[in-house]
Amino acid sequence: MDYETVIGLEIHVQLLTQSKMFCGCSTRFGAPPNTQTCPVCLGLPGSLPVINRRAVELGLRAALVLNCTVHPSSQFHRKNYYYPDLPKNYQISQYQYLEHPPLATDGYLDIEVDGQRRRVGIRRVHLEEDTGRLVHPAEGAVSWVDYNRSGVPLMEIVTYPDLRSPQEARAFLLKLRQVLQYAEVSTGRMEEGTLRCDANVSLRRPGEPLGTRTEVKNMNSIRSVERALAYEVARQREVLERGGAVVQETRHWDERRGITFASRSKEEAEDYRYFPEPDLVPVEVTPEWLEEVRRSLPELPDARRDRIMAQYGLGRYDAELLVQTRATADFFEAAVAAHPSPKSIANWMLGDLSAYLNEHNLEIDQLRVTPGQLAELVRLVEEGTISGRIAKDVLVEMLETGDSPRSIVDRRGWVQIADEGALRETVEAVIRDHPEPVRDVQAGKEKAIAFLVGQVMRRTQGRANPALVQRLLRERLGLPPQG
Amino acid sequence: MRELVGRPYHEIRPRLGKDLSVRELVDAYLENIARLDGQVRAYLTVSADQARAQARELDDRLARGEPLPPLAGVPVAVKDNLCTRGVRTTCGSRILEPFVPPYDATAVQRLREAGAVLLGKTNLDEFAMGSSTENSGFFATRNPWRLDHVPGGSSGGSAAAVAAGEALAALGSDTGGSIRQPASLCGVVGLKPTYGRVSRYGLVAFASSLDQIGPLSLDVRDCALVLQAICGRDPHDSTSVDLPVPDFVASLEAGVRGVRVGVPAEFFGEGLQPEVRQAVLEAVRVLEGLGARVEEVALPTLEYALPTYYLIACAEASSNLARYDGVAYGYRSPRAHDLYTLYARTRAEGFGPEVKRRIMLGTFALSEGYYEGFYKKAQQVRTLVRRDFDRCFQTVDVLATPTSPVAGFRLGERTADPLQMYLADVYTIPVNLAGLPGISVPCGFVEGLPVGLQLVGRPFEEATVLRVAYAYEQATEWHRHRCPLLRA
Amino acid sequence: MRITPEVVERVARLSRLELTEEERATFASQLSSILEYFARLDRLRTEGVEPTSHAIRVTNVFRPDEVTPSLPVEAVVAMAPQAHEGFVVVPRVLEAEE
């Protein structure tokens, strides 16, 4: 008998604010250790938190795009536990505790997997502060603490256990990242830690109550979430099929070995002693405020897809791919603005560019190529300055060097040969060296002409204008011009 | 210059820039500290050099003809749980012994801006937890009136400093009576403002929903002056309220004719020292004689206020004090070899017994299985206490009660029994639970120990409380008494 | 309410306080008598009474999302019991391991 997979996700998202959740320190990533700290985020005696209004508004944006119920009044709480990355030894969080609701609850996000539409329930959305960062140097019996990240605004999103496969979990994360990026709530990059995901996984016989779950942590990309979940599902299935029982535990994903393992460190039953944060007053969201936030929402993916279809005459499939990430859609529209050839630009982006991104595991805004440069490349092809074949090589070099296509073409001497005199010599040479195909062509096998065109292209390192070569060959071999 | 010491600021101020320099005033106080503090032990840190430098700067400004800021040259002492930039701030605890804050508390900054000169940091019960200043991690402060008696607490150092002429005024903090009770025991004026009136930014938290900073002074007028300087909204404290701050000094002399004074019977029951009872009731008669209307009111929840307070205060404290862990600042145990021992030994060695007791009590009250029965129950009773006060203030304008059930007690008398010590604050605690303004003013003596009258007002009606206290003070002579030590 | 030395030990662990045998016994008896006195709260009916967690009724106090100067790292390092190249140093924290 088969098992049903049940997955719920707990996602932490870093909010796109300039300053921290409760103090004015910068949230800029990558600063030297402890250079973005102050009495508040260091938890110095006497310091007090004050809520960043922007963080609340970004939380409300997320609540809206996730179709949640926003609570008119919510209160921050203290979650008490000791850890060196937590300077106060309590985390200020809107955790749902007893009668105190978090910012928003009970929403949903629709995803599509294999053409099937699925609705994934959102249990809650709440705000909290991030911890500092621990570094474990290879040598010595110490760890190092950097508090730059301490107090950076985080939003926690918890789903209901509605996901039924690792593929669905992946689709959900892609969709979530997409809407959060569009709403300008977060950059949503798992690789940089601005989106983090833990997963609860269990198996059950269909129709039966939920099985014992494990919590899987330490996944650093959407791809690794899918892999880790696939591993964990298979592992639990094996345990169950052997007649064993799944142990409720936290398991860590090891990316290199491709396995999850149970952490050895003893997990003491935690008692977080939540209580209302007396240093902060309740957050009250009036209908007017919520409406103001709703009006400020940027264009969301579905709306943008429809607009791109209408405005640029693209098909639904291509438009859907172009709005996959906000950065992709922005890139596309910027390129089209520089050179209005939406179809060619879309083809380049969804073809060569997208292959390159996948191969190197990059996001489009991490490329050295600008939208203007891609537009220029398309223009060079359309103007006949370079052939489409050469353009592919130019793009590779653009991606590697960041240089403009024009300068690459000039440097390499890749300007297309459109000089009949120069090409005629090559055509003659090719006909002389390949009597067999020439005979085939003359015997009526017109397809063989493609071979001869290819040979001319080869001898000119692809720089010949293919249409011109075709014409010259046909003239020389006494064929009528191509329809 | 001895004659300068022990006079209220409003008497001194007209002489500044004329026959008296700020430097002379500050020196007179520093000399008196040198003369008396070996016996009183009010100070943990005296910042004499900084004080003299600040005095010189003020004298220069005076010489240039700049206008006098409102507290120009007032030699002040600040309780050592208020952060002072560059001056060690210990909270009376070994765990913060090495701690030098990189910032000023808002109240301290406002004092400085008003021209006050910081003489140093005063002793307190460790983390403001206590009623006698015997819980200091360093040494006990003594009552300047009788050196074998406690000065009260936890702002015992600030109260003793003002009483002994070791500061002209002082800042204290009051979570359950820690300004008013030592003011009462040391025979000075002490005011706890409404919760939210004075920014808590830079006040090392004991119980965040109860703590307030307030002044201690020789008389009510000086109290109003200092309060004026430290009040008002601060963007660094979410709980500091954005309300206009009235001119407290200007409204002092409006008198008490027609003011309704409530006397809650429960505050005059069992446990009250008879002589204290007499002195306070006599004070109420004085107010009546000045035209106030006195009536009896009821605060039936008084007997529940003490447990309610300790559960809430300790719960908040258990979380507030979690940050003292030896990681980023303060004391770290040399016996720490892993994460757990870093925490558990640093805290075991750094905290004194009363602090440990309260952390444990608070942790217990918040822990799984006990939250509902203890912490939440206490929060609900807190609501009932507030309602009692609300009801009283429908018919009266201020309440008059004793500040402390006894005029004082000897050093060591109550240290063995924590509960006996807790009872020292039984009359001040309910005021914190309700977040109301309260003042203690001297109203008599029992065996050479001062007695305090507590006046409590509606939220943000400090002006009314001060006005009634001032009327009483002007009709009596208690505030002119100085301790024998200072007169010697 | 009787507080046993076992409860004291559990609470002490949660509070990160290393106690001696003697302290455990003293705290057990002191906390017991304090809680016994506090039991008077049980006489008061509080069903349906709203808990008070703030002394004032204020809501929506925010700060604008603006960056303000941080402390110089030297000040952070100066406060730390142990520091290394701008980091605060603690005894080794165990990472997840098999």
Side-chain angles (χ1 to χ4, degrees), chain A residues 18-20 24 34 37 51 137 141 143 145 257 264 280 282 284, chain C residues 54 58 60 63 65 67-68 70-71 86 88 90 92-93 97-98:
Chain A
Q18 298 296 309
S19 63
K20 292 187 180 180
N34 294 312
T37 64
I51 303 168
S143 295
V145 199
R257 291 191 289 165
R264 191 183 55 173
L280 293 173
E284 280 190 355
Chain C
H54 292 83
V58 174
N60 288 5
R63 39 171 282 273
D65 183 25
V67 174
T68 53
S70 292
L71 289 172
V88 171
V90 292
R92 187 87 174 177
V93 179
E97 52 187 324
E98 276 177 271

PDB file of all heavy atoms in Angstrom, chain A residues 18-20 24 34 37 51 137 141 143 145 257 264 280 282 284, chain C residues 54 58 60 63 65 67-68 70-71 86 88 90 92-93 97-98:
ATOM      1  N   GLN A  18      15.831  49.491   5.319  1.00  0.00           N
ATOM      2  CA  GLN A  18      17.161  50.098   5.420  1.00  0.00           C
ATOM      3  C   GLN A  18      17.759  49.832   6.798  1.00  0.00           C
ATOM      4  O   GLN A  18      18.949  49.604   6.940  1.00  0.00           O
ATOM      5  CB  GLN A  18      17.064  51.620   5.235  1.00  0.00           C
ATOM      6  CG  GLN A  18      16.525  52.058   3.886  1.00  0.00           C
ATOM      7  CD  GLN A  18      17.458  51.642   2.770  1.00  0.00           C
ATOM      8  OE1 GLN A  18      18.651  51.903   2.838  1.00  0.00           O
ATOM      9  NE2 GLN A  18      16.916  50.970   1.768  1.00  0.00           N
ATOM     10  N   SER A  19      16.899  49.920   7.829  1.00  0.00           N
ATOM     11  CA  SER A  19      17.390  49.815   9.201  1.00  0.00           C
ATOM     12  C   SER A  19      16.750  48.606   9.878  1.00  0.00           C
ATOM     13  O   SER A  19      15.833  47.984   9.345  1.00  0.00           O
ATOM     14  CB  SER A  19      17.052  51.094   9.966  1.00  0.00           C
ATOM     15  OG  SER A  19      15.648  51.262  10.063  1.00  0.00           O
ATOM     16  N   LYS A  20      17.266  48.300  11.076  1.00  0.00           N
ATOM     17  CA  LYS A  20      16.849  47.082  11.762  1.00  0.00           C
ATOM     18  C   LYS A  20      15.421  47.193  12.311  1.00  0.00           C
ATOM     19  O   LYS A  20      14.790  48.239  12.241  1.00  0.00           O
ATOM     20  CB  LYS A  20      17.855  46.765  12.880  1.00  0.00           C
ATOM     21  CG  LYS A  20      19.229  46.345  12.346  1.00  0.00           C
ATOM     22  CD  LYS A  20      20.162  45.882  13.453  1.00  0.00           C
ATOM     23  CE  LYS A  20      21.526  45.467  12.880  1.00  0.00           C
ATOM     24  NZ  LYS A  20      22.450  45.018  13.953  1.00  0.00           N
ATOM     25  N   GLY A  24      18.177  51.830  14.698  1.00  0.00           N
ATOM     26  CA  GLY A  24      18.533  52.476  13.438  1.00  0.00           C
ATOM     27  C   GLY A  24      19.773  51.911  12.757  1.00  0.00           C
ATOM     28  O   GLY A  24      20.251  52.495  11.789  1.00  0.00           O
ATOM     29  N   ASN A  34      30.533  43.349  13.694  1.00  0.00           N
ATOM     30  CA  ASN A  34      30.168  44.271  14.779  1.00  0.00           C
ATOM     31  C   ASN A  34      30.382  45.741  14.442  1.00  0.00           C
ATOM     32  O   ASN A  34      30.664  46.553  15.318  1.00  0.00           O
ATOM     33  CB  ASN A  34      30.901  43.883  16.075  1.00  0.00           C
ATOM     34  CG  ASN A  34      30.424  42.541  16.593  1.00  0.00           C
ATOM     35  OD1 ASN A  34      29.220  42.295  16.679  1.00  0.00           O
ATOM     36  ND2 ASN A  34      31.347  41.656  16.918  1.00  0.00           N
ATOM     37  N   THR A  37      26.158  47.838  14.893  1.00  0.00           N
ATOM     38  CA  THR A  37      25.519  47.508  16.166  1.00  0.00           C
ATOM     39  C   THR A  37      25.403  48.757  17.015  1.00  0.00           C
ATOM     40  O   THR A  37      26.127  49.736  16.816  1.00  0.00           O
ATOM     41  CB  THR A  37      26.335  46.463  16.958  1.00  0.00           C
ATOM     42  OG1 THR A  37      27.600  47.037  17.293  1.00  0.00           O
ATOM     43  CG2 THR A  37      26.545  45.186  16.171  1.00  0.00           C
ATOM     44  N   ILE A  51       9.661  49.955  17.317  1.00  0.00           N
ATOM     45  CA  ILE A  51       9.306  49.218  16.101  1.00  0.00           C
ATOM     46  C   ILE A  51       9.538  50.055  14.838  1.00  0.00           C
ATOM     47  O   ILE A  51       9.135  51.217  14.776  1.00  0.00           O
ATOM     48  CB  ILE A  51       7.832  48.773  16.144  1.00  0.00           C
ATOM     49  CG1 ILE A  51       7.560  47.924  17.384  1.00  0.00           C
ATOM     50  CG2 ILE A  51       7.451  48.011  14.879  1.00  0.00           C
ATOM     51  CD1 ILE A  51       6.083  47.681  17.654  1.00  0.00           C
ATOM     52  N   PRO A 137      35.671  29.053  13.964  1.00  0.00           N
ATOM     53  CA  PRO A 137      36.969  28.919  13.293  1.00  0.00           C
ATOM     54  C   PRO A 137      37.461  27.474  13.355  1.00  0.00           C
ATOM     55  O   PRO A 137      37.145  26.744  14.294  1.00  0.00           O
ATOM     56  CB  PRO A 137      37.883  29.854  14.105  1.00  0.00           C
ATOM     57  CG  PRO A 137      37.177  30.106  15.387  1.00  0.00           C
ATOM     58  CD  PRO A 137      35.722  29.910  15.136  1.00  0.00           C
ATOM     59  N   ALA A 141      39.223  26.289  20.568  1.00  0.00           N
ATOM     60  CA  ALA A 141      38.049  25.855  21.321  1.00  0.00           C
ATOM     61  C   ALA A 141      37.068  26.992  21.492  1.00  0.00           C
ATOM     62  O   ALA A 141      36.385  27.078  22.500  1.00  0.00           O
ATOM     63  CB  ALA A 141      38.500  25.318  22.680  1.00  0.00           C
ATOM     64  N   SER A 143      34.178  30.018  19.638  1.00  0.00           N
ATOM     65  CA  SER A 143      33.359  30.480  18.519  1.00  0.00           C
ATOM     66  C   SER A 143      33.379  31.993  18.551  1.00  0.00           C
ATOM     67  O   SER A 143      33.619  32.594  19.601  1.00  0.00           O
ATOM     68  CB  SER A 143      31.933  29.957  18.630  1.00  0.00           C
ATOM     69  OG  SER A 143      31.897  28.553  18.514  1.00  0.00           O
ATOM     70  N   VAL A 145      31.339  35.709  17.636  1.00  0.00           N
ATOM     71  CA  VAL A 145      29.994  36.251  17.453  1.00  0.00           C
ATOM     72  C   VAL A 145      30.070  37.609  16.757  1.00  0.00           C
ATOM     73  O   VAL A 145      30.861  38.468  17.130  1.00  0.00           O
ATOM     74  CB  VAL A 145      29.266  36.431  18.808  1.00  0.00           C
ATOM     75  CG1 VAL A 145      27.758  36.536  18.571  1.00  0.00           C
ATOM     76  CG2 VAL A 145      29.568  35.310  19.776  1.00  0.00           C
ATOM     77  N   ARG A 257      26.752  15.253   0.984  1.00  0.00           N
ATOM     78  CA  ARG A 257      26.506  13.814   0.958  1.00  0.00           C
ATOM     79  C   ARG A 257      25.100  13.474   0.481  1.00  0.00           C
ATOM     80  O   ARG A 257      24.781  12.323   0.232  1.00  0.00           O
ATOM     81  CB  ARG A 257      26.736  13.226   2.354  1.00  0.00           C
ATOM     82  CG  ARG A 257      28.203  13.256   2.771  1.00  0.00           C
ATOM     83  CD  ARG A 257      28.427  12.446   4.021  1.00  0.00           C
ATOM     84  NE  ARG A 257      27.841  13.116   5.192  1.00  0.00           N
ATOM     85  CZ  ARG A 257      27.635  12.504   6.345  1.00  0.00           C
ATOM     86  NH1 ARG A 257      27.922  11.234   6.495  1.00  0.00           N
ATOM     87  NH2 ARG A 257      27.122  13.180   7.353  1.00  0.00           N
ATOM     88  N   ARG A 264      23.149  15.101  16.949  1.00  0.00           N
ATOM     89  CA  ARG A 264      23.517  14.363  18.141  1.00  0.00           C
ATOM     90  C   ARG A 264      23.250  15.169  19.406  1.00  0.00           C
ATOM     91  O   ARG A 264      22.964  14.623  20.459  1.00  0.00           O
ATOM     92  CB  ARG A 264      25.005  13.979  18.082  1.00  0.00           C
ATOM     93  CG  ARG A 264      25.418  12.980  19.145  1.00  0.00           C
ATOM     94  CD  ARG A 264      26.892  12.697  19.083  1.00  0.00           C
ATOM     95  NE  ARG A 264      27.668  13.946  19.163  1.00  0.00           N
ATOM     96  CZ  ARG A 264      28.982  13.997  19.267  1.00  0.00           C
ATOM     97  NH1 ARG A 264      29.679  12.897  19.269  1.00  0.00           N
ATOM     98  NH2 ARG A 264      29.617  15.155  19.342  1.00  0.00           N
ATOM     99  N   LEU A 280       7.236  47.274  24.393  1.00  0.00           N
ATOM    100  CA  LEU A 280       6.581  47.674  23.141  1.00  0.00           C
ATOM    101  C   LEU A 280       5.076  47.724  23.345  1.00  0.00           C
ATOM    102  O   LEU A 280       4.518  46.896  24.056  1.00  0.00           O
ATOM    103  CB  LEU A 280       6.907  46.668  22.032  1.00  0.00           C
ATOM    104  CG  LEU A 280       8.363  46.617  21.581  1.00  0.00           C
ATOM    105  CD1 LEU A 280       8.563  45.470  20.600  1.00  0.00           C
ATOM    106  CD2 LEU A 280       8.779  47.940  20.943  1.00  0.00           C
ATOM    107  N   PRO A 282       1.064  47.703  21.773  1.00  0.00           N
ATOM    108  CA  PRO A 282       0.427  46.926  20.705  1.00  0.00           C
ATOM    109  C   PRO A 282       0.432  47.651  19.353  1.00  0.00           C
ATOM    110  O   PRO A 282       0.458  48.878  19.294  1.00  0.00           O
ATOM    111  CB  PRO A 282      -1.012  46.743  21.204  1.00  0.00           C
ATOM    112  CG  PRO A 282      -0.929  46.902  22.681  1.00  0.00           C
ATOM    113  CD  PRO A 282       0.170  47.892  22.926  1.00  0.00           C
ATOM    114  N   GLU A 284      -1.762  48.384  16.206  1.00  0.00           N
ATOM    115  CA  GLU A 284      -3.156  48.367  15.776  1.00  0.00           C
ATOM    116  C   GLU A 284      -3.234  48.729  14.305  1.00  0.00           C
ATOM    117  O   GLU A 284      -2.752  49.778  13.889  1.00  0.00           O
ATOM    118  CB  GLU A 284      -3.985  49.333  16.624  1.00  0.00           C
ATOM    119  CG  GLU A 284      -4.321  48.694  17.954  1.00  0.00           C
ATOM    120  CD  GLU A 284      -5.333  49.454  18.770  1.00  0.00           C
ATOM    121  OE1 GLU A 284      -5.734  50.566  18.368  1.00  0.00           O
ATOM    122  OE2 GLU A 284      -5.706  48.928  19.832  1.00  0.00           O
TER     123      GLU A 284
ATOM    124  N   HIS C  54       0.396  46.420  30.330  1.00  0.00           N
ATOM    125  CA  HIS C  54       0.978  47.760  30.220  1.00  0.00           C
ATOM    126  C   HIS C  54       0.208  48.706  31.127  1.00  0.00           C
ATOM    127  O   HIS C  54      -1.013  48.616  31.212  1.00  0.00           O
ATOM    128  CB  HIS C  54       0.890  48.280  28.786  1.00  0.00           C
ATOM    129  CG  HIS C  54       1.762  47.535  27.829  1.00  0.00           C
ATOM    130  ND1 HIS C  54       1.372  46.354  27.246  1.00  0.00           N
ATOM    131  CD2 HIS C  54       3.003  47.800  27.360  1.00  0.00           C
ATOM    132  CE1 HIS C  54       2.343  45.922  26.458  1.00  0.00           C
ATOM    133  NE2 HIS C  54       3.342  46.774  26.508  1.00  0.00           N
ATOM    134  N   VAL C  58      -1.502  52.896  25.170  1.00  0.00           N
ATOM    135  CA  VAL C  58      -0.940  53.571  23.999  1.00  0.00           C
ATOM    136  C   VAL C  58      -0.723  52.491  22.947  1.00  0.00           C
ATOM    137  O   VAL C  58      -0.415  51.355  23.287  1.00  0.00           O
ATOM    138  CB  VAL C  58       0.404  54.242  24.372  1.00  0.00           C
ATOM    139  CG1 VAL C  58       1.074  54.824  23.147  1.00  0.00           C
ATOM    140  CG2 VAL C  58       0.203  55.304  25.423  1.00  0.00           C
ATOM    141  N   ASN C  60       0.638  51.720  18.617  1.00  0.00           N
ATOM    142  CA  ASN C  60       1.290  52.200  17.390  1.00  0.00           C
ATOM    143  C   ASN C  60       2.356  53.270  17.621  1.00  0.00           C
ATOM    144  O   ASN C  60       2.239  54.397  17.144  1.00  0.00           O
ATOM    145  CB  ASN C  60       0.238  52.738  16.409  1.00  0.00           C
ATOM    146  CG  ASN C  60      -0.563  51.605  15.798  1.00  0.00           C
ATOM    147  OD1 ASN C  60      -0.387  50.454  16.184  1.00  0.00           O
ATOM    148  ND2 ASN C  60      -1.423  51.926  14.858  1.00  0.00           N
ATOM    149  N   ARG C  63       9.148  53.941  14.768  1.00  0.00           N
ATOM    150  CA  ARG C  63      10.209  54.821  14.304  1.00  0.00           C
ATOM    151  C   ARG C  63      10.252  54.709  12.789  1.00  0.00           C
ATOM    152  O   ARG C  63       9.853  53.684  12.219  1.00  0.00           O
ATOM    153  CB  ARG C  63      11.570  54.454  14.897  1.00  0.00           C
ATOM    154  CG  ARG C  63      11.861  52.962  15.025  1.00  0.00           C
ATOM    155  CD  ARG C  63      13.290  52.702  15.416  1.00  0.00           C
ATOM    156  NE  ARG C  63      14.133  52.864  14.250  1.00  0.00           N
ATOM    157  CZ  ARG C  63      14.382  51.895  13.390  1.00  0.00           C
ATOM    158  NH1 ARG C  63      13.889  50.688  13.555  1.00  0.00           N
ATOM    159  NH2 ARG C  63      15.141  52.127  12.342  1.00  0.00           N
ATOM    160  N   ASP C  65      11.933  54.178   9.079  1.00  0.00           N
ATOM    161  CA  ASP C  65      12.990  53.276   8.622  1.00  0.00           C
ATOM    162  C   ASP C  65      14.190  54.101   8.158  1.00  0.00           C
ATOM    163  O   ASP C  65      14.418  54.251   6.963  1.00  0.00           O
ATOM    164  CB  ASP C  65      12.448  52.394   7.492  1.00  0.00           C
ATOM    165  CG  ASP C  65      13.486  51.386   7.026  1.00  0.00           C
ATOM    166  OD1 ASP C  65      14.385  51.037   7.812  1.00  0.00           O
ATOM    167  OD2 ASP C  65      13.386  50.950   5.851  1.00  0.00           O
ATOM    168  N   VAL C  67      18.418  54.933   8.782  1.00  0.00           N
ATOM    169  CA  VAL C  67      19.656  54.438   9.374  1.00  0.00           C
ATOM    170  C   VAL C  67      20.275  55.539  10.223  1.00  0.00           C
ATOM    171  O   VAL C  67      20.378  56.691   9.805  1.00  0.00           O
ATOM    172  CB  VAL C  67      20.641  53.972   8.284  1.00  0.00           C
ATOM    173  CG1 VAL C  67      21.987  53.604   8.890  1.00  0.00           C
ATOM    174  CG2 VAL C  67      20.062  52.781   7.522  1.00  0.00           C
ATOM    175  N   THR C  68      20.634  55.190  11.463  1.00  0.00           N
ATOM    176  CA  THR C  68      21.314  56.125  12.361  1.00  0.00           C
ATOM    177  C   THR C  68      22.695  55.552  12.674  1.00  0.00           C
ATOM    178  O   THR C  68      22.925  54.360  12.474  1.00  0.00           O
ATOM    179  CB  THR C  68      20.515  56.316  13.663  1.00  0.00           C
ATOM    180  OG1 THR C  68      20.259  55.019  14.229  1.00  0.00           O
ATOM    181  CG2 THR C  68      19.173  56.991  13.403  1.00  0.00           C
ATOM    182  N   SER C  70      25.887  53.734  13.998  1.00  0.00           N
ATOM    183  CA  SER C  70      26.152  52.620  14.904  1.00  0.00           C
ATOM    184  C   SER C  70      27.311  52.988  15.812  1.00  0.00           C
ATOM    185  O   SER C  70      27.974  54.004  15.607  1.00  0.00           O
ATOM    186  CB  SER C  70      26.498  51.372  14.098  1.00  0.00           C
ATOM    187  OG  SER C  70      25.374  50.918  13.380  1.00  0.00           O
ATOM    188  N   LEU C  71      27.559  52.142  16.821  1.00  0.00           N
ATOM    189  CA  LEU C  71      28.721  52.349  17.690  1.00  0.00           C
ATOM    190  C   LEU C  71      29.989  52.002  16.905  1.00  0.00           C
ATOM    191  O   LEU C  71      29.962  51.120  16.055  1.00  0.00           O
ATOM    192  CB  LEU C  71      28.644  51.412  18.899  1.00  0.00           C
ATOM    193  CG  LEU C  71      27.600  51.695  19.962  1.00  0.00           C
ATOM    194  CD1 LEU C  71      27.560  50.539  20.966  1.00  0.00           C
ATOM    195  CD2 LEU C  71      27.928  53.004  20.687  1.00  0.00           C
ATOM    196  N   GLY C  86      37.458  42.057  15.955  1.00  0.00           N
ATOM    197  CA  GLY C  86      36.110  42.606  15.834  1.00  0.00           C
ATOM    198  C   GLY C  86      35.007  41.669  16.280  1.00  0.00           C
ATOM    199  O   GLY C  86      33.877  42.098  16.493  1.00  0.00           O
ATOM    200  N   VAL C  88      33.201  39.037  19.016  1.00  0.00           N
ATOM    201  CA  VAL C  88      33.150  38.688  20.426  1.00  0.00           C
ATOM    202  C   VAL C  88      33.432  37.185  20.519  1.00  0.00           C
ATOM    203  O   VAL C  88      32.908  36.408  19.722  1.00  0.00           O
ATOM    204  CB  VAL C  88      31.758  39.016  21.020  1.00  0.00           C
ATOM    205  CG1 VAL C  88      31.619  38.454  22.423  1.00  0.00           C
ATOM    206  CG2 VAL C  88      31.543  40.530  21.011  1.00  0.00           C
ATOM    207  N   VAL C  90      33.438  33.504  22.408  1.00  0.00           N
ATOM    208  CA  VAL C  90      32.805  32.666  23.440  1.00  0.00           C
ATOM    209  C   VAL C  90      33.387  31.260  23.359  1.00  0.00           C
ATOM    210  O   VAL C  90      33.986  30.899  22.337  1.00  0.00           O
ATOM    211  CB  VAL C  90      31.264  32.588  23.246  1.00  0.00           C
ATOM    212  CG1 VAL C  90      30.625  33.928  23.511  1.00  0.00           C
ATOM    213  CG2 VAL C  90      30.893  32.086  21.856  1.00  0.00           C
ATOM    214  N   ARG C  92      33.590  27.419  22.554  1.00  0.00           N
ATOM    215  CA  ARG C  92      33.077  26.755  21.355  1.00  0.00           C
ATOM    216  C   ARG C  92      31.594  26.384  21.501  1.00  0.00           C
ATOM    217  O   ARG C  92      31.205  25.756  22.475  1.00  0.00           O
ATOM    218  CB  ARG C  92      33.882  25.476  21.102  1.00  0.00           C
ATOM    219  CG  ARG C  92      33.554  24.800  19.789  1.00  0.00           C
ATOM    220  CD  ARG C  92      34.388  25.395  18.709  1.00  0.00           C
ATOM    221  NE  ARG C  92      34.273  24.731  17.419  1.00  0.00           N
ATOM    222  CZ  ARG C  92      34.912  25.184  16.348  1.00  0.00           C
ATOM    223  NH1 ARG C  92      35.697  26.244  16.451  1.00  0.00           N
ATOM    224  NH2 ARG C  92      34.776  24.578  15.196  1.00  0.00           N
ATOM    225  N   VAL C  93      30.804  26.798  20.518  1.00  0.00           N
ATOM    226  CA  VAL C  93      29.400  26.406  20.471  1.00  0.00           C
ATOM    227  C   VAL C  93      29.309  25.205  19.541  1.00  0.00           C
ATOM    228  O   VAL C  93      29.780  25.250  18.412  1.00  0.00           O
ATOM    229  CB  VAL C  93      28.526  27.554  19.930  1.00  0.00           C
ATOM    230  CG1 VAL C  93      27.074  27.131  19.865  1.00  0.00           C
ATOM    231  CG2 VAL C  93      28.689  28.789  20.796  1.00  0.00           C
ATOM    232  N   GLU C  97      25.927  17.930  14.638  1.00  0.00           N
ATOM    233  CA  GLU C  97      26.789  16.870  14.123  1.00  0.00           C
ATOM    234  C   GLU C  97      26.141  15.529  14.397  1.00  0.00           C
ATOM    235  O   GLU C  97      25.266  15.401  15.241  1.00  0.00           O
ATOM    236  CB  GLU C  97      28.183  16.947  14.757  1.00  0.00           C
ATOM    237  CG  GLU C  97      28.176  17.002  16.264  1.00  0.00           C
ATOM    238  CD  GLU C  97      29.570  17.259  16.806  1.00  0.00           C
ATOM    239  OE1 GLU C  97      30.521  16.765  16.223  1.00  0.00           O
ATOM    240  OE2 GLU C  97      29.683  17.950  17.813  1.00  0.00           O
ATOM    241  N   GLU C  98      26.604  14.568  13.638  1.00  0.00           N
ATOM    242  CA  GLU C  98      25.987  13.244  13.767  1.00  0.00           C
ATOM    243  C   GLU C  98      26.422  12.571  15.046  1.00  0.00           C
ATOM    244  O   GLU C  98      27.522  12.765  15.514  1.00  0.00           O
ATOM    245  CB  GLU C  98      26.372  12.372  12.570  1.00  0.00           C
ATOM    246  CG  GLU C  98      25.473  12.622  11.376  1.00  0.00           C
ATOM    247  CD  GLU C  98      25.910  11.815  10.172  1.00  0.00           C
ATOM    248  OE1 GLU C  98      26.740  12.319   9.413  1.00  0.00           O
ATOM    249  OE2 GLU C  98      25.424  10.693  10.010  1.00  0.00           O
TER     250      GLU C  98
END
